[in-house]
């Protein structure tokens, strides 16, 4: 219970805009002053005569200022890392590389709940970043030496908010208007070195940005792809839904930001004067301008949720023995669903949810859950198939969930391709009624792309969006309880 001015002063040191730094060469189109705190999210957005001013409230930190603040927070860890590696900190003043994970996620209804007026549809979007690792390149060494590695990359504690805005994530124009300056700053930083004092000496850092903390909807929006119901099922390869259901396992990552940009230009110009269908097939569903570079990966949290939703539907179909009949009525489906919900609630204390969430997905995808469901499945043969399906899934899951699969689950990692092939065989034979010409987006990615991503990045789980999702929870909380009751202040308080 300090007096307000002491708290204010303490707060200043922790917030971006307190520490001095410079860029060499100076950042293009970014002001060189370093003492910049919270700015209006629309600043840096120049309106032309025709532009309607964006009707929204947004607050953010300048990207470089926020990164400096994050590095200063890690000052002790950096010095400790140098000591542990036996490096002389006086010699190590340049050659540092910082890898940054970026996350961005829309939040549904964040409108005020109390009061008797109509509920206004108020949505928010949060953009945040996490410093994943810091390494140093020493003379005579080919590889960089890692001196800091984030141990909990999915904790809200390591996930730093950069920009908060009251925008619907589907409102592409406003979203890109606000994130435009962020993208420009990020691009400028790639071509420059940050000089900042760490451990009493000026040191130089370069940054690598990896946009992996996005769910599929956001990736498609940022990369100019059609929405997730598209026949082009995947954000990593060019497969169509029909192809992905025929060949479930053998695909490799082909899409990239640069290729998407090229395809957009073809879509825009139609150089071969093709029909709409031919053109769409040529550009594989790229029909808007890619706006921000994302890393082609798979979001572990939404993968869990997507696959659990799919299993929930399989459970429902198996209770109703859909494999024996075609086109059951809506009424019958509803009956099977309520039988499934009743059973899960009675045996596993799992309350039915409107939309599948992470916690429900984790509880549903267990041996216990499948055993409980099997009590409602009449045929012994189908029960065994369901249990086998879940068994294979549980073998595969740790590979994309764990922060470091080669350390945490090496056996499952080695067997992943084999297991996914077995899983696909089971789907295309026993469960053919569900996978004839169709398959869900995340199931395709789970079966086809996981080993390749792990080989490239070393992990999928560590790069997921969970830290940002947990931060969403805090956002709601602060917005309800701790923010001064004015929209302008509110975002600033929450951003702090």
């Amino acid at each position: 219970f300090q007096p307000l001015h002491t708290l204010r002063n303490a707060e200043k040191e922790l917030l971006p805009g307190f520490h001095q730094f410079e860029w060499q060469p100076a950042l293009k189109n970014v002001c060189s002053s370093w003492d910049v705190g919270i700015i209006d999210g629309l600043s840096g957005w120049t309106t032309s005569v025709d532009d309607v001013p964006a009707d929204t409230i947004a607050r953010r930190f300048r990207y470089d200022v926020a990164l400096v603040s994050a590095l200063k927070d890690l000052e002790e860890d950096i010095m400790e890392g140098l000591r542990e590696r036996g490096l002389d900190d006086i010699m190590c003043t340049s050659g540092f590389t910082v890898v940054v994970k970026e996350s961005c996620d829309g939040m549904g209804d964040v409108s005020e709940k109390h009061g008797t007026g109509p509920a206004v549809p108020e949505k928010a979007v949060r953009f945040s970043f996490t410093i994943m690792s810091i390494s140093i390149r020493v003379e005579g060494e080919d590889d960089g030496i890692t001196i800091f590695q984030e141990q909990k990359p999915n904790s809200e504690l390591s996930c730093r908010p950069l920009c908060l805005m009251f925008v619907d994530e589907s409102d592409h124009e406003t979203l890109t208007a606000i994130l435009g300056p962020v993208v420009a700053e990020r691009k400028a930083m790639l071509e420059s070195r940050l000089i900042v004092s760490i451990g009493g000496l000026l040191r130089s850092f370069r940054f690598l940005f990896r946009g992996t903390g996005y769910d599929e909807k956001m990736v498609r929006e940022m990369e100019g792809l059609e929405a997730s119901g598209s026949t082009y099922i995947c954000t990593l390869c060019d497969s169509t839904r029909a192809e992905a259901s025929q060949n479930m396992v053998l695909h490799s990552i082909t899409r990239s930001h640069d290729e998407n940009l090229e395809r957009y230009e073809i879509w825009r110009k139609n150089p071969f004067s093709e029909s709409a269908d031919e053109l769409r097939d040529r550009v594989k569903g790229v029909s808007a301008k890619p706006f921000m570079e994302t890393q082609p990966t798979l979001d572990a949290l939404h993968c869990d949720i997507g696959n659990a939703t799919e299993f929930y539907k399989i459970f429902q179909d198996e209770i109703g023995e859909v494999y024996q009949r075609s086109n059951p009525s809506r009424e019958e489906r509803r009956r099977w669903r309520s039988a499934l919900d009743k059973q899960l609630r009675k045996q596993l204390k799992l309350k039915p949810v409107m939309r599948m969430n992470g916690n429900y997905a984790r509880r549903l995808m267990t041996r216990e859950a499948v055993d409980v469901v099997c009590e409602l499945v009449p045929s012994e043969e189908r029960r065994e198939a369901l249990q086998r399906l879940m068994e294979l899934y549980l073998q595969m899951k740790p590979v994309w969930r764990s922060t470091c699969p080669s350390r945490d689950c090496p056996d499952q990692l080695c067997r992943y391709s084999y297991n996914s092939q077995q899983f696909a065989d089971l789907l295309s034979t026993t469960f053919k009624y569900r996978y004839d010409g169709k398959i869900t987006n995340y199931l395709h990615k789970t079966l086809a792309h996981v080993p390749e991503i792990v080989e490239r990045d070393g992990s999928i789980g560590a790069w997921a969006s969970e830290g940002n999702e947990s931060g969403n929870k805090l956002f709601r909380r602060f917005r309800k309880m701790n923010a001064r009751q004015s929209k302008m202040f509110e975002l600033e308080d929450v951003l702090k």
Side-chain angles (χ1 to χ4, degrees), residues 8-9 66 133 138 161 173 195 253 263 329-330 332 357 382 413 415 433 464:
R8 282 271 153 76
N9 289 334
S133 67
V138 182
E173 287 71 23
I195 311 292
I253 298 172
R263 286 179 168 178
S329 70
R330 223 155 163 193
E332 287 177 299
N357 59 46
R382 304 300 294 183
L413 179 57
R415 290 177 59 86
Y433 66 91

PDB file of all heavy atoms in Angstrom, residues 8-9 66 133 138 161 173 195 253 263 329-330 332 357 382 413 415 433 464:
ATOM      1  N   ARG A   8       3.683   4.951  -9.188  1.00  0.00           N
ATOM      2  CA  ARG A   8       3.862   5.472 -10.542  1.00  0.00           C
ATOM      3  C   ARG A   8       5.325   5.391 -10.956  1.00  0.00           C
ATOM      4  O   ARG A   8       5.660   4.980 -12.049  1.00  0.00           O
ATOM      5  CB  ARG A   8       3.423   6.940 -10.601  1.00  0.00           C
ATOM      6  CG  ARG A   8       1.945   7.156 -10.670  1.00  0.00           C
ATOM      7  CD  ARG A   8       1.505   7.163 -12.164  1.00  0.00           C
ATOM      8  NE  ARG A   8       0.110   6.731 -12.275  1.00  0.00           N
ATOM      9  CZ  ARG A   8      -0.920   7.510 -11.957  1.00  0.00           C
ATOM     10  NH1 ARG A   8      -0.738   8.714 -11.520  1.00  0.00           N
ATOM     11  NH2 ARG A   8      -2.152   7.059 -12.087  1.00  0.00           N
ATOM     12  N   ASN A   9       6.220   5.771 -10.040  1.00  0.00           N
ATOM     13  CA  ASN A   9       7.647   5.763 -10.377  1.00  0.00           C
ATOM     14  C   ASN A   9       8.157   4.342 -10.585  1.00  0.00           C
ATOM     15  O   ASN A   9       8.950   4.077 -11.480  1.00  0.00           O
ATOM     16  CB  ASN A   9       8.460   6.482  -9.301  1.00  0.00           C
ATOM     17  CG  ASN A   9       8.197   7.983  -9.344  1.00  0.00           C
ATOM     18  OD1 ASN A   9       7.841   8.500 -10.413  1.00  0.00           O
ATOM     19  ND2 ASN A   9       8.313   8.660  -8.215  1.00  0.00           N
ATOM     20  N   ALA A  66       9.120  -1.822 -26.840  1.00  0.00           N
ATOM     21  CA  ALA A  66       8.644  -2.966 -26.051  1.00  0.00           C
ATOM     22  C   ALA A  66       9.698  -4.077 -26.011  1.00  0.00           C
ATOM     23  O   ALA A  66       9.900  -4.720 -24.981  1.00  0.00           O
ATOM     24  CB  ALA A  66       7.339  -3.492 -26.647  1.00  0.00           C
ATOM     25  N   SER A 133      14.264 -17.238 -27.326  1.00  0.00           N
ATOM     26  CA  SER A 133      15.649 -17.614 -27.032  1.00  0.00           C
ATOM     27  C   SER A 133      16.581 -16.475 -27.421  1.00  0.00           C
ATOM     28  O   SER A 133      16.244 -15.635 -28.256  1.00  0.00           O
ATOM     29  CB  SER A 133      16.037 -18.879 -27.804  1.00  0.00           C
ATOM     30  OG  SER A 133      16.053 -18.585 -29.183  1.00  0.00           O
ATOM     31  N   VAL A 138      30.005 -16.705 -31.466  1.00  0.00           N
ATOM     32  CA  VAL A 138      31.372 -16.398 -31.014  1.00  0.00           C
ATOM     33  C   VAL A 138      32.330 -16.670 -32.162  1.00  0.00           C
ATOM     34  O   VAL A 138      32.130 -17.604 -32.948  1.00  0.00           O
ATOM     35  CB  VAL A 138      31.744 -17.285 -29.791  1.00  0.00           C
ATOM     36  CG1 VAL A 138      33.135 -16.951 -29.289  1.00  0.00           C
ATOM     37  CG2 VAL A 138      30.721 -17.093 -28.682  1.00  0.00           C
ATOM     38  N   PRO A 161       2.075  -8.160 -23.944  1.00  0.00           N
ATOM     39  CA  PRO A 161       1.132  -7.523 -24.861  1.00  0.00           C
ATOM     40  C   PRO A 161       1.791  -6.375 -25.604  1.00  0.00           C
ATOM     41  O   PRO A 161       2.569  -5.621 -25.017  1.00  0.00           O
ATOM     42  CB  PRO A 161       0.026  -7.016 -23.940  1.00  0.00           C
ATOM     43  CG  PRO A 161       0.660  -6.875 -22.606  1.00  0.00           C
ATOM     44  CD  PRO A 161       1.744  -7.907 -22.535  1.00  0.00           C
ATOM     45  N   GLU A 173     -10.160  -4.880 -42.816  1.00  0.00           N
ATOM     46  CA  GLU A 173      -9.631  -3.543 -43.104  1.00  0.00           C
ATOM     47  C   GLU A 173      -9.110  -2.866 -41.846  1.00  0.00           C
ATOM     48  O   GLU A 173      -7.993  -2.353 -41.815  1.00  0.00           O
ATOM     49  CB  GLU A 173     -10.732  -2.654 -43.741  1.00  0.00           C
ATOM     50  CG  GLU A 173     -11.061  -3.003 -45.185  1.00  0.00           C
ATOM     51  CD  GLU A 173     -11.803  -4.344 -45.311  1.00  0.00           C
ATOM     52  OE1 GLU A 173     -12.428  -4.781 -44.325  1.00  0.00           O
ATOM     53  OE2 GLU A 173     -11.735  -4.934 -46.387  1.00  0.00           O
ATOM     54  N   ILE A 195      21.307  -1.428 -30.288  1.00  0.00           N
ATOM     55  CA  ILE A 195      22.417  -1.215 -29.338  1.00  0.00           C
ATOM     56  C   ILE A 195      21.793  -0.812 -28.003  1.00  0.00           C
ATOM     57  O   ILE A 195      21.140   0.230 -27.898  1.00  0.00           O
ATOM     58  CB  ILE A 195      23.360  -0.078 -29.805  1.00  0.00           C
ATOM     59  CG1 ILE A 195      23.759  -0.252 -31.275  1.00  0.00           C
ATOM     60  CG2 ILE A 195      24.577   0.016 -28.889  1.00  0.00           C
ATOM     61  CD1 ILE A 195      24.639  -1.432 -31.562  1.00  0.00           C
ATOM     62  N   ILE A 253       5.253 -29.429 -46.851  1.00  0.00           N
ATOM     63  CA  ILE A 253       4.947 -28.001 -46.733  1.00  0.00           C
ATOM     64  C   ILE A 253       5.424 -27.289 -47.992  1.00  0.00           C
ATOM     65  O   ILE A 253       6.602 -27.376 -48.351  1.00  0.00           O
ATOM     66  CB  ILE A 253       5.645 -27.400 -45.497  1.00  0.00           C
ATOM     67  CG1 ILE A 253       5.116 -28.076 -44.231  1.00  0.00           C
ATOM     68  CG2 ILE A 253       5.443 -25.893 -45.431  1.00  0.00           C
ATOM     69  CD1 ILE A 253       5.858 -27.702 -42.974  1.00  0.00           C
ATOM     70  N   ARG A 263       1.317 -15.378 -55.803  1.00  0.00           N
ATOM     71  CA  ARG A 263       0.026 -15.899 -56.263  1.00  0.00           C
ATOM     72  C   ARG A 263      -1.049 -14.822 -56.241  1.00  0.00           C
ATOM     73  O   ARG A 263      -1.931 -14.797 -57.097  1.00  0.00           O
ATOM     74  CB  ARG A 263      -0.394 -17.086 -55.393  1.00  0.00           C
ATOM     75  CG  ARG A 263       0.425 -18.324 -55.721  1.00  0.00           C
ATOM     76  CD  ARG A 263       0.030 -19.480 -54.852  1.00  0.00           C
ATOM     77  NE  ARG A 263       0.616 -20.708 -55.372  1.00  0.00           N
ATOM     78  CZ  ARG A 263       0.479 -21.892 -54.795  1.00  0.00           C
ATOM     79  NH1 ARG A 263      -0.217 -22.005 -53.692  1.00  0.00           N
ATOM     80  NH2 ARG A 263       1.034 -22.963 -55.321  1.00  0.00           N
ATOM     81  N   SER A 329     -31.743 -38.922 -39.595  1.00  0.00           N
ATOM     82  CA  SER A 329     -32.458 -37.644 -39.462  1.00  0.00           C
ATOM     83  C   SER A 329     -31.820 -36.801 -38.359  1.00  0.00           C
ATOM     84  O   SER A 329     -31.089 -37.287 -37.518  1.00  0.00           O
ATOM     85  CB  SER A 329     -33.921 -37.903 -39.100  1.00  0.00           C
ATOM     86  OG  SER A 329     -33.982 -38.386 -37.768  1.00  0.00           O
ATOM     87  N   ARG A 330     -32.184 -35.516 -38.389  1.00  0.00           N
ATOM     88  CA  ARG A 330     -31.657 -34.580 -37.399  1.00  0.00           C
ATOM     89  C   ARG A 330     -32.072 -35.008 -35.982  1.00  0.00           C
ATOM     90  O   ARG A 330     -31.299 -34.879 -35.037  1.00  0.00           O
ATOM     91  CB  ARG A 330     -32.238 -33.211 -37.693  1.00  0.00           C
ATOM     92  CG  ARG A 330     -31.200 -32.147 -37.571  1.00  0.00           C
ATOM     93  CD  ARG A 330     -31.559 -31.010 -38.385  1.00  0.00           C
ATOM     94  NE  ARG A 330     -30.784 -29.863 -37.962  1.00  0.00           N
ATOM     95  CZ  ARG A 330     -31.085 -28.667 -38.354  1.00  0.00           C
ATOM     96  NH1 ARG A 330     -32.133 -28.496 -39.130  1.00  0.00           N
ATOM     97  NH2 ARG A 330     -30.359 -27.643 -37.980  1.00  0.00           N
ATOM     98  N   GLU A 332     -32.659 -38.009 -34.867  1.00  0.00           N
ATOM     99  CA  GLU A 332     -31.848 -39.136 -34.375  1.00  0.00           C
ATOM    100  C   GLU A 332     -30.490 -38.637 -33.902  1.00  0.00           C
ATOM    101  O   GLU A 332     -30.013 -39.029 -32.839  1.00  0.00           O
ATOM    102  CB  GLU A 332     -31.651 -40.155 -35.519  1.00  0.00           C
ATOM    103  CG  GLU A 332     -32.907 -40.954 -35.852  1.00  0.00           C
ATOM    104  CD  GLU A 332     -32.651 -41.875 -37.043  1.00  0.00           C
ATOM    105  OE1 GLU A 332     -32.339 -41.380 -38.143  1.00  0.00           O
ATOM    106  OE2 GLU A 332     -32.743 -43.106 -36.845  1.00  0.00           O
ATOM    107  N   ASN A 357     -13.716 -26.252 -25.901  1.00  0.00           N
ATOM    108  CA  ASN A 357     -12.578 -25.467 -25.422  1.00  0.00           C
ATOM    109  C   ASN A 357     -11.413 -26.396 -25.070  1.00  0.00           C
ATOM    110  O   ASN A 357     -11.553 -27.612 -25.067  1.00  0.00           O
ATOM    111  CB  ASN A 357     -12.976 -24.603 -24.220  1.00  0.00           C
ATOM    112  CG  ASN A 357     -13.494 -25.456 -23.080  1.00  0.00           C
ATOM    113  OD1 ASN A 357     -12.898 -26.471 -22.737  1.00  0.00           O
ATOM    114  ND2 ASN A 357     -14.613 -25.057 -22.487  1.00  0.00           N
ATOM    115  N   ARG A 382     -16.746 -52.547 -33.290  1.00  0.00           N
ATOM    116  CA  ARG A 382     -16.641 -51.084 -33.384  1.00  0.00           C
ATOM    117  C   ARG A 382     -15.982 -50.514 -32.127  1.00  0.00           C
ATOM    118  O   ARG A 382     -15.257 -49.530 -32.193  1.00  0.00           O
ATOM    119  CB  ARG A 382     -18.021 -50.434 -33.568  1.00  0.00           C
ATOM    120  CG  ARG A 382     -18.840 -50.897 -34.730  1.00  0.00           C
ATOM    121  CD  ARG A 382     -18.195 -50.676 -36.072  1.00  0.00           C
ATOM    122  NE  ARG A 382     -18.025 -49.277 -36.443  1.00  0.00           N
ATOM    123  CZ  ARG A 382     -17.528 -48.884 -37.626  1.00  0.00           C
ATOM    124  NH1 ARG A 382     -17.165 -49.774 -38.519  1.00  0.00           N
ATOM    125  NH2 ARG A 382     -17.388 -47.607 -37.899  1.00  0.00           N
ATOM    126  N   LEU A 413       8.109 -39.712 -31.082  1.00  0.00           N
ATOM    127  CA  LEU A 413       8.561 -38.908 -32.227  1.00  0.00           C
ATOM    128  C   LEU A 413       9.046 -39.833 -33.349  1.00  0.00           C
ATOM    129  O   LEU A 413       8.712 -39.645 -34.516  1.00  0.00           O
ATOM    130  CB  LEU A 413       9.683 -37.963 -31.772  1.00  0.00           C
ATOM    131  CG  LEU A 413      10.305 -37.044 -32.831  1.00  0.00           C
ATOM    132  CD1 LEU A 413       9.240 -36.186 -33.497  1.00  0.00           C
ATOM    133  CD2 LEU A 413      11.372 -36.147 -32.212  1.00  0.00           C
ATOM    134  N   ARG A 415       8.166 -42.884 -33.880  1.00  0.00           N
ATOM    135  CA  ARG A 415       7.088 -43.715 -34.423  1.00  0.00           C
ATOM    136  C   ARG A 415       5.960 -42.884 -35.056  1.00  0.00           C
ATOM    137  O   ARG A 415       4.976 -43.443 -35.516  1.00  0.00           O
ATOM    138  CB  ARG A 415       6.493 -44.582 -33.307  1.00  0.00           C
ATOM    139  CG  ARG A 415       7.419 -45.691 -32.804  1.00  0.00           C
ATOM    140  CD  ARG A 415       6.765 -46.451 -31.657  1.00  0.00           C
ATOM    141  NE  ARG A 415       5.499 -47.054 -32.041  1.00  0.00           N
ATOM    142  CZ  ARG A 415       5.380 -48.255 -32.613  1.00  0.00           C
ATOM    143  NH1 ARG A 415       6.453 -48.963 -32.884  1.00  0.00           N
ATOM    144  NH2 ARG A 415       4.188 -48.739 -32.926  1.00  0.00           N
ATOM    145  N   TYR A 433     -17.157 -43.994 -43.717  1.00  0.00           N
ATOM    146  CA  TYR A 433     -18.396 -43.214 -43.875  1.00  0.00           C
ATOM    147  C   TYR A 433     -18.186 -41.737 -43.547  1.00  0.00           C
ATOM    148  O   TYR A 433     -18.901 -40.873 -44.032  1.00  0.00           O
ATOM    149  CB  TYR A 433     -19.522 -43.803 -43.005  1.00  0.00           C
ATOM    150  CG  TYR A 433     -19.282 -43.695 -41.505  1.00  0.00           C
ATOM    151  CD1 TYR A 433     -19.731 -42.585 -40.794  1.00  0.00           C
ATOM    152  CD2 TYR A 433     -18.612 -44.693 -40.802  1.00  0.00           C
ATOM    153  CE1 TYR A 433     -19.518 -42.466 -39.430  1.00  0.00           C
ATOM    154  CE2 TYR A 433     -18.398 -44.589 -39.439  1.00  0.00           C
ATOM    155  CZ  TYR A 433     -18.849 -43.472 -38.755  1.00  0.00           C
ATOM    156  OH  TYR A 433     -18.626 -43.360 -37.406  1.00  0.00           O
ATOM    157  N   ALA A 464       3.136 -22.544 -29.892  1.00  0.00           N
ATOM    158  CA  ALA A 464       1.673 -22.441 -29.955  1.00  0.00           C
ATOM    159  C   ALA A 464       1.172 -21.111 -29.385  1.00  0.00           C
ATOM    160  O   ALA A 464       1.942 -20.314 -28.860  1.00  0.00           O
ATOM    161  CB  ALA A 464       1.049 -23.606 -29.200  1.00  0.00           C
TER     162      ALA A 464
END
